[in-house]
Amino acid sequence: MPRPRRTACALLLGLGSGIVLLGGCANDPALAPRTTASVPEASVFEYRQKLASLPARDPVYQAILDRLADPARTAQTPENQRVLAYGYITRALALTRLSPPDYSGAAADYRRIMDQFDGIPDPEIAAAVARAFLNLGVIRLRLGGDTALSEKRTLYAGAIERAKALTGDNAEEITATALYNQGLSLLLDTPQDRPAGFAALEEAVSRFRASKQPAVQERLLMARVEAARAFGNTPGEEGKAIPLAEDALTLTEGMSLSGKDYYTADALLQKGYALYRLGREKEALAIADDILNRFTKATDIRTRRVVSRVALNLVYAHRDASPPRTEAQRAAVRDFTARFGTETDPLIVVRLAEALGLEGDLLTSSTPPRYEEALDSYLAAYRRLERLPLADSLNTRHEIAVDLGRTYAHLSRPADARTYLDISDKLAAQASPSRTEEFTVRSLSQRVLALVTLNSAAPDEINGLVARIEQRVTPTSTPFIISQHFLAYENQLRFLTRTQPMNWPAALTIVEPLLERYSRNDAKLLQPYIARASVNRALARQSLPTPQVEDALADIDRVVQRFGAAQDPAILFSVARGLSIRQRLLETQNRPAEAKATAEDIVRRFDANPDPRLQEYVRAARQKLNALARPVTG
């Protein structure tokens, strides 16, 4: 959805990750070239009024600026210079609101102010110069160039320096905003500058904590919340986020800001997230409930978005619990739908669709799979997304389309499966260049899964799809893209298992290059795939016409050594499966002592784990040990 149009005299324009741009007044953002339009002679005061009322694209706007800048036509009095500076900064701010924004034109106006008026002691002009430094800093990265980052920081420093000559509200507001912008830039742009970023945010709060100016108070809250967010997302530093979030809550108590609920909710969100990351889940869930109960009915869209983020976080928290809290997850999705089912804000609608998609995932992975119910969840998500502009929903819409294609395949509805897989291909083609590979590989891997599930493809079609994935994926691809390569391989292996007899040499030919490319990747997302593929390689080696027994045993030993202490149930399942294969292989090789030791290892590792799949391996291992303990009768 387009950004709501701002009215004249808007003070703040948020750009990027909370960066704040300060400006004057504008009606119609635009830039006009130098013009031959004439304007009647008028007082400087009348020119200011005219600039405030004219669309900036009107040729008369530029003609007024030309007249004011021409000493032959207008006396260069202080008041004339004030109006000229006002006209430039008003237009520059307007240009940043164009769709697309004209950052080059805005930068030109900011530089005119800096070049023509820097050093003039007049308070209004000096404030305009400080604002020009600040605002040019905000848009500098968008103009590109190798020196953009260093110039941006220099501009923020210039704004702070020039604000020293100001007094009162202007001095506070410009300095606090520049410190906040500088701190956020240092936090986000380069990791090595994070300490300086935190220091700049801290300076803003410590210097202006007693300010009664609402705009400055807002910067202080932003500084605290962003610092808490940064620490909360940094492994090992989550604890530092809690006092910062608590101080933001303390600051809000004495403020009467129009957006006070938003900052309160966001500070609570950051505190709860940090507690969750620290393993203090009970406290985190209590904060989440507090946010939902206090702010669901908020009228401010920013506050409602925070609440929707909390609602989605609850769904993830129940999903990721050990063991997963499946009924609580479904209840959280129902609660999310009850609170936001009629919402039209694109961001909130996308989050609700994501929650419904997670419910679908839960139902498809249940034992036994509940595909019909999952289909209802995925369709509910997709129908909501269809009502949004594609630009606001592309990523989630693509995910849900893929989910629908896969689910229809499991329900043996090939026409519907192909319809949604074709939709996913079309959506992938519309992705931004930075996301095209991700979308395309996901579509291809899920098509392999669907075709294998439907048992409706020839070997050449499956192999061709996997080959297209291999052409796109490299060892330096993102973990998600690599995971889709693994997923395609697993379904290609499923396809091979349907041949009689099983083509184990072909299976080994598939899995060995995959592990050669990716087995050293330590991305968390990939570890379950690497563990499964390693066990499958051991199974293939032991099943060859001439079994590679020692190589298979070595594969399993490496799996146990690398993944034996894992907490992820999917990885532990691969460890148990590998040990079970090892036990049977040792029995066939007439190595009973080693086979018995392996069965004992399965029991020791997994006896206390309630996962039903692991308990199946424990029961089988106990049966084998009991059989070995029976006396032999003649």
Side-chain angles (χ1 to χ4, degrees), residues 121-135:
D122 180 89
E124 183 179 338
I125 293 175
V129 172
R131 291 172 188 272
F133 273 87
L134 175 63
N135 292 356

Side-chain angles (χ1 to χ4, degrees), residues 238-280:
E238 297 93 341
K240 297 178 182 179
I242 296 173
L244 293 168
E246 290 175 340
D247 190 47
L249 294 171
T250 299
L251 287 168
T252 62
E253 293 174 0
M255 297 180 179
S256 56
L257 296 174
S258 59
K260 182 175 178 177
D261 281 356
Y262 163 68
Y263 290 109
T264 302
D266 202 9
L268 286 168
L269 169 62
Q270 302 316 318
K271 180 180 178 180
Y273 183 67
L275 289 167
Y276 180 80
R277 291 280 299 267
L278 289 168
R280 296 161 62 179

Side-chain angles (χ1 to χ4, degrees), residues 424-437:
S424 77
D425 288 343
K426 293 176 183 177
L427 292 171
Q430 298 180 68
S432 63
S434 63
R435 304 296 296 275
T436 299
E437 288 299 300

Side-chain angles (χ1 to χ4, degrees), residues 407-429:
T407 305
Y408 277 122
H410 284 300
L411 291 169
S412 300
R413 294 169 60 174
D416 290 325
R418 288 183 181 273
T419 293
Y420 278 97
L421 290 170
D422 289 344
I423 288 173
S424 77
D425 288 343
K426 293 176 183 177
L427 292 171

Side-chain angles (χ1 to χ4, degrees), residues 154-174:
T154 299
L155 287 162
Y156 287 150
I160 294 169
E161 182 63 29
R162 282 153 183 81
K164 292 178 181 178
L166 306 176
T167 59
D169 289 352
N170 269 333
E172 281 192 355
E173 183 186 0
I174 293 172

Side-chain angles (χ1 to χ4, degrees), residues 545-562:
T546 303
Q548 299 174 2
V549 174
E550 294 306 319
D551 287 338
L553 292 173
D555 276 338
I556 294 169
D557 288 344
R558 282 190 289 269
V559 169
V560 174
Q561 182 179 8
R562 179 172 177 176

Side-chain angles (χ1 to χ4, degrees), residues 452-522:
V452 171
T453 300
L454 289 166
N455 199 20
S456 61
D460 286 348
E461 184 176 7
I462 297 295
N463 294 337
L465 289 169
V466 175
R468 288 172 63 189
I469 294 173
E470 289 175 344
Q471 291 170 1
R472 292 177 172 271
V473 185
T474 70
T476 59
S477 295
T478 66
F480 176 81
I481 290 176
I482 295 174
S483 75
Q484 297 304 294
H485 192 186
F486 272 105
L487 186 62
Y489 140 73
E490 290 175 355
N491 285 287
Q492 191 179 23
L493 189 61
R494 280 177 58 208
F495 187 77
L496 279 177
T497 61
R498 296 175 180 172
T499 64
Q500 295 295 329
M502 171 64 181
N503 190 343
W504 288 110
L508 190 60
T509 300
I510 294 169
V511 70
E512 280 197 314
L514 196 72
L515 287 171
E516 180 63 29
R517 292 175 91 180
Y518 307 126
S519 63
R520 289 178 290 277
N521 194 311
D522 60 0

